[in-house]
Amino acid sequence: MRFDWRTLYCPAMIASYLSILIVVTGWVPPRVISTPFVLLGNVTVPAALLIIGSSIARVPIRRMFGNTAIYLMSVLRLMLVPLLILYLSRLCRVEETIANINVVLAAMPVASYGTLFCIQYQKGEIIMAEGTFLTTLLSVLSIPLLTMFL
């Protein structure tokens, strides 16, 4: 694999550079410019969730619950990793509030960005959709259980 310099000049990266520049300089764009961007930003999360939902809808329900590897990954992701972070935080004497925040953040379900990348590159879309679905479903139980340790 080689690094492609053109990725630094794609529209998403240019928008990132401009947003960093706006934040650093403190410039407030006029409403006529900022309003369309705010509206576009507000629609991105629902649009991403619609795409992920359509990806999950294509997976048969039996397959969604029948993959033992997804269950193992879910337990690792939702319980073991956060408990390891809790243990290491206490071992390193990290402030309790910060440690608890890190533990809860680590216990969140699999990010939807993974599914979007799988869809974009057409690799492992089904398994990622299964993981997103199952970890989101199981997090309803695992997050309250985990907070009992905090």
Side-chain angles (χ1 to χ4, degrees):
M1 263 172 68
R2 294 185 54 171
F3 181 72
D4 186 6
W5 288 96
R6 290 179 292 178
T7 58
L8 297 177
Y9 304 109
C10 69
M13 291 302 292
I14 292 171
S16 297
Y17 302 145
L18 288 174
S19 65
I20 290 170
L21 187 64
I22 288 170
V23 169
V24 168
T25 62
W27 180 65
V28 179
R31 288 181 63 112
V32 73
I33 294 173
S34 65
T35 301
F37 289 113
V38 169
L39 293 173
L40 181 64
N42 289 342
V43 81
T44 56
V45 171
L49 292 176
L50 282 171
I51 292 169
I52 292 166
S54 68
S55 176
I56 290 172
R58 286 187 265 151
V59 180
I61 195 76
R62 287 181 185 237
R63 181 168 179 190
M64 197 70 78
F65 290 106
N67 191 340
T68 55
I70 295 294
Y71 285 104
L72 181 62
M73 182 274 306
S74 296
V75 169
L76 183 69
R77 173 79 171 101
L78 297 174
M79 291 302 288
L80 295 179
V81 169
L83 288 173
L84 178 66
I85 290 172
L86 177 64
Y87 172 75
L88 291 174
S89 297
R90 288 185 178 166
L91 185 69
C92 296
R93 296 193 170 116
V94 173
E95 183 183 337
E96 185 178 1
T97 304
I98 293 172
N100 291 347
I101 290 169
N102 287 333
V103 169
V104 171
L105 285 175
M108 291 296 127
V110 173
S112 55
Y113 287 118
T115 306
L116 294 175
F117 282 128
C118 289
I119 291 169
Q120 179 180 355
Y121 295 108
Q122 299 174 350
K123 301 273 186 192
E125 177 184 340
I126 301 294
I127 194 84
M128 191 67 197
E130 290 174 13
T132 302
F133 173 76
L134 202 57
T135 56
T136 302
L137 189 65
L138 293 175
S139 69
V140 173
L141 298 173
S142 66
I143 292 173
L145 283 172
L146 189 66
T147 56
M148 290 174 25
F149 289 103
L150 301 180

